[in-house]
Amino acid sequence: MLLTFIYDHCPDVCPLIVGNLHNALLKLGPVASKLQIIAVSVDPKGDTPATVKAFLAAHEMTGRMEYLIGTFNELEPVWRAYGVQVEASPDKREQTVGHSAFLYGITGHGSVLVVYPPTFDPAWIAHDAPILATY
């Protein structure tokens, strides 16, 4: 499983992460179906079902990535569990949301095996996916 923390109106790093994930899936070919990708929102006020749907479609990730949204109270414990820092007011929607932007490679047993930087090379995922699927 791959886990990341993004928001759908991000001007820079989030589209880069999702674009690299898309390219990694292309490199994986049929193996891609064994890799689950989950994104967790860092913008509980701005990410809505409609905006997420449009974002996934724009990045050709519809049906390839689960994008979890919720309230601040629902999302904050997940952020905390993965050490994700979110720099935006929970009371209002910000134009930009500063946040940690890592991609976690998690085994089938729930252990974080690898943490990728936001500028990861899609080939890294293609290399590691079989390893993540076997643990």
Side-chain angles (χ1 to χ4, degrees), residues 35-47:
L35 187 61
Q36 183 176 20
I37 301 174
I38 298 175
V40 177
S41 173
V42 293
D43 184 6
K45 296 285 184 180
D47 286 349

Side-chain angles (χ1 to χ4, degrees), residues 95-107:
Q95 290 296 61
T96 60
V97 179
H99 63 95
S100 305
F102 297 105
L103 179 68
Y104 298 84
I106 301 173
T107 69

Side-chain angles (χ1 to χ4, degrees), residues 16-55:
L16 174 67
I17 290 170
V18 176
N20 283 341
L21 285 169
H22 180 263
N23 290 334
L25 292 177
L26 293 175
K27 286 184 179 297
L28 283 169
V31 177
S33 66
K34 297 180 182 179
L35 187 61
Q36 183 176 20
I37 301 174
I38 298 175
V40 177
S41 173
V42 293
D43 184 6
K45 296 285 184 180
D47 286 349
T48 67
T51 61
V52 166
K53 182 178 179 179
F55 178 83

